Amino acid sequence: MSEAAAASEAPLRKGRAEELIAKLLEPRVLGPVIGAALVVLALVVVHQISGAVHLSEIRQALRASDPTIIAQAVGLTLISFVAMSLYDVMAVHRVAPGRVPLSLAAFAGLVGYSISNAIGFHVFVGGPVRYRIYQSAGLDAADVGRIVGVSFLTFTSGIIAVLGIALLIDPVGLPFLKAISPATDRLIGLAILLALAGTLAWLAMAPRQVTLLSWRLPLPSARSAAAQILIGVVDIGAAAAVLYVLLPPDIAPGFAVFLLLFVAAITAGIISHAPGGIGIIEATMLVGLGAGTRPDVIAALVAFRLIYYVIPLACAGLALVGLEVYRARHGVKALSGGAVALSRRIVAPVAAALVFLGGVVLLLSGNLPAVDNRIDSLSDVVPLPFAEASHLAASLVGLLLIILARGLYRRIALARVASIALLVAGAVFSLLKGIDWEEASILLFVAGILLAYPKVFYRKGDWRSFRPTPTWLALIVIVLGSLTLVGMLAYRHVDYAASLWWDFAWNGDASRFLRATLALTIVAAAIAVDALVNRPHVAVHGTTDIPDAVRDVLETTSHTTGNVALLGDKKFLVAPDDDAFLMYGVAGRSWITMGDPVGDAEAAKGLIWQFAERADRTGARPVFYSISPTYLTTCLDLGLAILKIGEVARVDLTTFSLEGASRQDFRYADKRATREGLEFSIIPKAEVPGEMDELQAVSDAWLGTKAGREKGFSLGRFDPEYLAEFDCAVLKKDGAIVAFANLWRSGDKNELSIDLMRYRHGVSKILMDALFARLLLYGKSEGYSWFNLGAAPLAGLADHPLASTWNRLGTFVYRRADEFYNFEGLRTFKQKFEPVWTPQYLACPNGLAIPQVLIDVTNLISGSPIRILKR
C-alpha cells in the first residue's frame, strides 16, 4: 500500500474506531456489559475460593439435606413472597385506590417479583409483567410505573430498617465492620432508625406529596408508611432466613450479622441485573462467610437458588399462562378459532422459553462427565471422531438455540425453521456423544411443538433479525459463565496440562469440555462483536422513487398535507386501484405513517389495516403519526392507543380580510411592507430552478441563525428537487429575494398552504406578518376556501388532575420547554388569524411501547434525542 493510500485510510479507520467506542459507551450497551462483567467476575471469585470442592461432593451434600430444613425453607419462601405481594397491594391502594381488586394486586406482586427476581433487569421485566396483569383493570403504563416506584420505595425502606436493626442489635462478626468499633456501629444503626422515625413523624403532620414534572404522587400517611416498612422488613428477613436455615449451623453467624451480609449480597445482585443475582450472591456469601472450600455451604446456596428463585419462577410462568387462558375464554366462539387465538398469545413465549432451556440443557450436558456405561455401549458402534465432533456440535447448537429464542419470541418464521433444524440436530448429537436419550427426547418434544404451530410464527425476518441486543448478549455471557463454572467444578480433580487439549479418548470428558469452552468463547465473541458493530441503523432521510399513482392522487385530493410525499424520504403503500396511498418511514422497530392516508376514504381505511398487518408480520410496531379525527375509529379497531399531539390551524378564506380590530397587526405589516419596498410575487414552479441559487442563499442565512440541522419526514427541507415541485411565494427588496415559501395546493382548490418558509433576519421586523397577510389575500383571490397554517405541537391538551398522564406531560412540555421549542409562541402567532383548530393524534401500541414510539418518531423527524439535547 502506498503512503498516500495509507494516509487516506487512517482517518477512516480512526472514525470507525471512534464509532465503535461510542456504541460501546451508549447506556443501553454499557449497562448490560457492566452487569455481565460483574457476574463473570463473581463466578471467577466463586471458582477461586471454592478450593478443591468436587461436583460429586456437592451432589452428596444436597442428597444429605434434612427434609425438615427444606420444609422450613419452603415455608419461609412463602412468607417472603406473600410480603412481596403486599408491596403491590400497598402501592395500588396509594396509586389507584378503588380501581384494582386487592386479589389482582396481590397476584401481580407475586408473579411480577417471582419473574423479575429470577430473570433480573427488574424494571424492564417486572414492569411489562405487571402492565400485562393490570391492563385488565384499566391502568395505563404511567400507573404501572407509579406502582413499581412505590413498591421499590417499600423495598428500600425495608432494607434501610433491616440495616438499622442489625447494626443496633449485633454489629460484631463481619470483616468489613472491624474497622469501626461496635459502639459506633450501634450509633449508626440508631441514627438510621431515628431517621425513619423522623420521617414517619413528618408524614403524620400533614398530607404530603412529591411532584415530578407534571406528576403528583401522594406520599403515604405515617400509618401506611409504617406498614410498608414492616412489610419490607418481613420480606427481607424471611428471604434471609431461607438461606440461614439451609446453611450448616457451625458456619452461620448470628442472624443479625447474617442480615447485613445478605442485604449486601442481594443489593449487589440487583445492581448487576444478573438473573437472580447469580454468581454475585454466591460470591458475596462465600467471601463473607469464609466458606469457599466447604461443599455443604455451596450445596446450601444451590438449594437456596432452587427454592427461592427457580420454583417461584416456574409457578409464576404457569400462573401467567393460566391468566392468558382465562382471559382468552371470552373470545372463544368456536373450538378451532379459540385454539388459534390462544396459541397466538401463549405458544410463542412458551416455545421461546423451551428453546432457551433446550440450549441451556445442551450446554450443561457438554460441561458434565458422560455416564460410563453409556460411553462403553457407544464405543462399540460409533467411531471416536464422530463422538468428539458430536460433543462440540451439541454445545454450539445449544448456544445458537439461546440466540434463536429471541427470534421465536418475536414470532419470526425463519427462527422457527432454524430452531426445528437445530433441535433435531441437537437430539442426534446428544445420542452420538453419549446416548443422552433424555436430552434428545426433550429437544424432539420442543421441535414437535414448533412443528404443530406454524401459523403462530408468521413474521418475516432474515438472519439479521437474530442479532442479539446488548441485554441478550449480557444474558448469554451470564449463562456461558455460569455453566463454565459448573464444568470447572466437575473437573476440578483433573490436573491441567497442555496435553489435555489434544487428548482424544472415550474417557476424555475434561478434554472435550476444554475444547467446547474455547469454541463457544470464540463463537460467542464473534456474535457479540457483530451484534455491537453491525447494529441496524435507520437513515433519517432516505430517498425512494415516488410512484406515479401518488402524483395522480395529489392532483385530486382536497387537502394539502399529502404534498410532503414529494420530499423523497418516505416509503409508500398504494391502494390496489391506485386511488389512495399511505406514506411512512421506519425508525427502530416502529413503522411510522405521516398524516392521514391520502385519497379515497374507503380505500384509505383498507390501507390502514394493510399497513398494520405488514408491520406486524415483520415484528414492527404500526404507528400512525399526525392523523386527524377522521380515522380514529379505524385505529381504535386496531387496538391502538390514541394520544393527542397538537392542533392544526386552518383559516376560512371565504370570510378572511384585513379589516377589523383583530387584523390590525396584519394591516400594519401590509402597509409597512409597501413603504419599505417589499414586493410580493409568485414564481411559477417552471421558473423556480432558475431562482434556486438565490433561494439557497436566503435559506442558508436563515439556517445560520438556528441550532442543529434541518428536520424532515413531517416537514420540508431545502432540497432543489423538492422545491422544484411547487410554485414559490417570495418577498423581494431592491430586486433581491429576502423571504420565500413554497406553496402546497390541493387538487380541487379547496386548500392552500405553505411548507418551507425562510427569510433573512435584519431586513424588516414585519417580514413574517407581511408574507402571511399577502399569502392569505392571494389564496382568497385565487378562489381557495381554506388556508392551512400547519400544526401547533402539543396545543390543546387537557390540563386537569383527571387527565391522562400523556396530556399532563404534554402540557408541562408545552409550557416550560421554550428553551428547545417555542410551543406557546407558535400557537399564539397562528391564533392571530382566528383559525379553526382541528386536533391531530398519534396512534400506536399501548403500554410500555409508547416511550419507545415517541423516541422513534423524534429520530425520524429530528434525529437522535441525544443530538437534540446537545444542540
Side-chain angles (χ1 to χ4, degrees):
M1 180 183 295
S2 67
E3 293 184 3
S8 64
E9 287 194 6
L12 181 61
R13 289 195 298 268
K14 182 179 179 181
R16 290 176 177 173
E18 291 176 350
E19 182 181 359
L20 176 59
I21 293 172
K23 289 180 179 179
L24 292 175
L25 292 178
E26 289 181 10
R28 59 175 296 186
V29 177
L30 190 61
V33 169
I34 292 175
L38 288 175
V39 173
V40 172
L41 179 62
L43 293 175
V44 172
V45 172
V46 171
H47 177 257
Q48 292 296 325
I49 67 176
S50 59
V53 179
H54 294 175
L55 190 61
S56 59
E57 294 175 333
I58 299 174
R59 289 175 178 170
Q60 185 177 357
L62 282 171
R63 294 192 188 101
S65 299
D66 186 347
T68 304
I69 298 298
I70 298 298
Q72 291 177 8
V74 171
L76 289 167
T77 298
L78 287 174
I79 293 174
S80 177
F81 275 87
V82 168
M84 279 191 278
S85 72
L86 294 179
Y87 287 172
D88 273 50
V89 171
M90 296 291 292
V92 166
H93 177 71
R94 176 59 47 189
V95 173
R99 296 169 58 189
V100 179
L102 295 184
S103 58
L104 183 65
F107 177 80
L110 279 173
V111 172
Y113 280 108
S114 297
I115 294 176
S116 62
N117 279 358
I119 295 179
F121 301 97
H122 290 259
V123 174
F124 301 107
V125 173
V129 170
R130 282 178 173 79
Y131 178 76
R132 181 63 189 161
I133 296 172
Y134 287 127
Q135 193 177 27
S136 62
L139 300 190
D140 60 17
D143 292 327
V144 175
R146 291 192 189 94
I147 291 172
V148 172
V150 173
S151 299
F152 179 76
L153 183 63
T154 304
F155 173 75
T156 303
S157 63
I159 284 184
I160 294 172
V162 166
L163 285 174
I165 293 171
L167 286 171
L168 187 64
I169 294 176
D170 187 8
V172 182
L174 287 181
F176 61 82
L177 290 178
K178 287 184 178 179
I180 306 175
S181 67
T184 304
D185 297 336
R186 291 189 173 94
L187 284 176
I188 294 173
L190 181 61
I192 291 174
L193 296 179
L194 288 176
L196 287 176
T199 302
L200 294 177
W202 177 71
L203 291 173
M205 293 179 183
R208 308 287 185 179
Q209 69 177 11
V210 173
T211 302
L212 179 62
L213 298 181
S214 59
W215 285 288
R216 297 178 181 87
L217 180 62
L219 293 177
S221 63
R223 181 176 179 181
S224 296
Q228 288 179 229
I229 293 173
L230 178 62
I231 291 170
V233 170
V234 171
D235 164 37
I236 297 164
V242 174
L243 180 55
Y244 190 77
V245 300
L246 290 171
L247 288 170
D250 63 310
I251 195 69
F255 186 65
V257 175
F258 182 78
L259 271 177
L260 291 174
L261 182 60
F262 184 80
V263 166
I266 62 172
T267 302
I270 292 172
I271 292 173
S272 72
H273 287 298
I278 188 168
I280 302 290
I281 293 178
E282 285 79 1
T284 306
M285 298 306 299
L286 288 173
V287 171
L289 296 172
T293 61
R294 293 189 52 169
D296 52 351
V297 175
I298 298 177
L301 289 168
V302 172
F304 170 71
R305 188 157 293 282
L306 290 172
I307 293 171
Y308 195 77
Y309 290 99
V310 176
I311 293 176
L313 174 64
C315 294
L318 292 174
L320 271 182
V321 171
L323 177 65
E324 296 296 342
V325 172
Y326 176 78
R327 286 178 173 175
R329 79 193 194 286
H330 296 294
V332 177
K333 296 181 180 179
L335 182 60
S336 59
V340 171
L342 185 60
S343 67
R344 274 180 173 263
R345 184 168 293 181
I346 67 173
V347 167
V350 170
L354 291 175
V355 168
F356 184 92
L357 292 176
V360 172
V361 166
L362 282 174
L363 291 172
L364 180 62
S365 173
N367 291 354
L368 295 176
V371 181
D372 290 338
N373 59 351
R374 295 184 183 180
I375 287 294
D376 293 339
S377 301
L378 186 66
S379 63
D380 295 334
V381 294
V382 175
L384 178 60
F386 278 71
E388 293 281 0
S390 297
H391 182 279
L392 180 60
S395 296
L396 293 175
V397 166
L399 174 61
L400 295 177
L401 287 175
I402 290 176
I403 293 172
L404 285 173
R406 179 171 172 267
L408 290 172
Y409 184 79
R410 295 179 59 194
R411 296 174 173 84
I412 297 176
L414 183 58
R416 169 183 169 271
V417 174
S419 295
I420 292 173
L422 288 175
L423 287 166
V424 173
V428 173
F429 294 143
S430 296
L431 295 174
L432 291 178
K433 74 181 180 67
I435 316 182
D436 296 324
W437 60 268
E438 301 94 341
E439 299 168 17
S441 300
I442 293 173
L443 297 176
L444 291 176
F445 171 74
V446 178
I449 292 178
L450 294 177
L451 280 170
Y453 292 94
K455 294 183 178 180
V456 172
F457 306 93
Y458 56 91
R459 289 174 174 165
K460 296 180 180 180
D462 55 19
W463 297 109
R464 291 171 294 182
S465 306
F466 305 143
R467 281 198 176 108
T469 62
T471 300
W472 203 260
L473 283 174
L475 183 60
I476 292 172
V477 171
I478 291 168
V479 170
L480 291 179
S482 303
L483 296 180
T484 300
L485 176 62
V486 171
M488 290 179 176
L489 292 174
Y491 300 111
R492 182 180 289 277
H493 61 284
V494 179
D495 293 330
Y496 176 79
S499 59
L500 276 177
W501 292 95
W502 316 110
D503 183 11
F504 297 94
W506 285 107
N507 60 351
D509 292 324
S511 300
R512 283 190 282 272
F513 160 67
L514 286 176
R515 290 190 291 269
T517 300
L518 177 61
L520 288 171
T521 302
I522 294 174
V523 173
I527 292 172
V529 171
D530 173 70
L532 293 175
V533 174
N534 296 320
R535 283 166 57 199
H537 288 274
V538 179
V540 176
H541 300 304
T543 57
T544 185
D545 294 332
I546 301 172
D548 291 337
V550 170
R551 296 182 182 276
D552 294 339
V553 171
L554 289 176
E555 291 180 359
T556 60
T557 184
S558 296
H559 299 283
T560 57
T561 52
N563 285 285
V564 77
L566 303 181
L567 191 57
D569 63 350
K570 302 173 186 63
K571 300 178 183 297
F572 296 94
L573 188 61
V574 181
D577 295 333
D578 291 345
D579 55 351
F581 71 88
L582 179 150
M583 49 187 155
Y584 67 98
V586 178
R589 285 185 53 211
S590 300
W591 284 22
I592 305 166
T593 69
M594 176 54 225
D596 290 341
V598 183
D600 179 76
E602 288 303 315
K605 291 179 181 179
L607 285 176
I608 290 176
W609 284 96
Q610 186 180 351
F611 175 81
E613 290 169 356
R614 289 193 179 188
D616 182 67
R617 282 199 298 270
T618 63
R621 310 179 190 92
V623 179
F624 298 90
Y625 174 73
S626 191
I627 61 171
S628 69
T630 305
Y631 296 101
L632 285 188
T633 302
T634 306
C635 292
L636 288 171
D637 289 342
L638 280 168
L640 301 176
I642 306 297
L643 307 178
K644 186 177 181 181
I645 58 174
E647 295 179 322
V648 174
R650 299 170 76 230
V651 179
D652 186 352
L653 294 180
T654 60
T655 60
F656 177 80
S657 73
L658 296 183
E659 303 302 323
S662 62
R663 305 292 164 80
Q664 180 178 354
D665 290 344
F666 295 106
R667 287 199 307 274
Y668 170 76
D670 181 60
K671 293 178 181 179
R672 180 171 171 177
T674 302
R675 291 198 303 269
E676 292 181 359
L678 294 172
E679 300 177 359
F680 175 82
S681 62
I682 303 294
I683 302 176
K685 72 175 183 177
E687 300 176 12
V688 167
E691 305 289 340
M692 198 63 68
D693 290 342
E694 196 169 355
L695 297 176
Q696 177 86 63
V698 174
S699 178
D700 291 345
W702 185 85
L703 287 173
T705 65
K706 307 296 180 182
R709 64 180 184 183
E710 294 198 76
K711 295 179 173 60
F713 186 67
S714 64
L715 301 169
R717 62 181 183 276
F718 194 94
D719 182 313
E721 292 186 6
Y722 172 65
L723 290 180
E725 297 278 357
F726 311 101
D727 297 340
C728 189
V730 298
L731 281 176
K732 293 183 178 182
K733 185 171 184 179
D734 299 328
I737 297 175
V738 295
F740 73 88
N742 63 316
L743 295 182
W744 283 354
R745 303 176 188 267
S746 66
D748 57 358
K749 281 202 169 185
N750 176 66
E751 188 175 84
L752 181 69
S753 181
I754 64 169
D755 175 34
L756 191 72
M757 189 179 77
R758 301 286 160 87
Y759 59 92
R760 289 186 179 275
H761 286 272
V763 173
S764 175
K765 294 182 179 180
I766 49 84
L767 270 182
M768 287 183 64
D769 283 355
L771 181 58
F772 271 102
R774 299 288 179 87
L775 280 169
L776 268 67
L777 292 173
Y778 167 79
K780 182 174 183 177
S781 67
E782 289 290 307
Y784 286 92
S785 301
W786 295 91
F787 189 93
N788 191 327
L789 292 171
L794 301 182
L797 273 64
D799 183 19
H800 189 277
L802 297 180
S804 70
T805 302
W806 165 254
N807 276 270
R808 284 179 282 134
L809 174 61
T811 302
F812 174 85
V813 173
Y814 176 78
R815 291 177 176 173
R816 305 189 185 183
D818 286 346
E819 182 178 348
F820 301 101
Y821 192 91
N822 189 11
F823 292 100
E824 280 194 291
L826 180 61
R827 192 186 194 282
T828 300
F829 174 79
K830 294 181 178 182
Q831 182 59 41
K832 293 193 298 184
F833 295 92
E834 298 179 340
V836 175
W837 292 97
T838 304
Q840 58 177 182
Y841 300 91
L842 172 74
C844 65
N846 206 344
L848 298 177
I850 292 177
Q852 186 58 55
V853 166
L854 296 175
I855 292 174
D856 290 341
V857 171
T858 302
N859 284 340
L860 202 58
I861 297 174
S862 304
S864 167
I866 295 178
R867 293 196 192 103
I868 295 172
L869 291 176
K870 287 181 179 179
R871 296 199 294 265

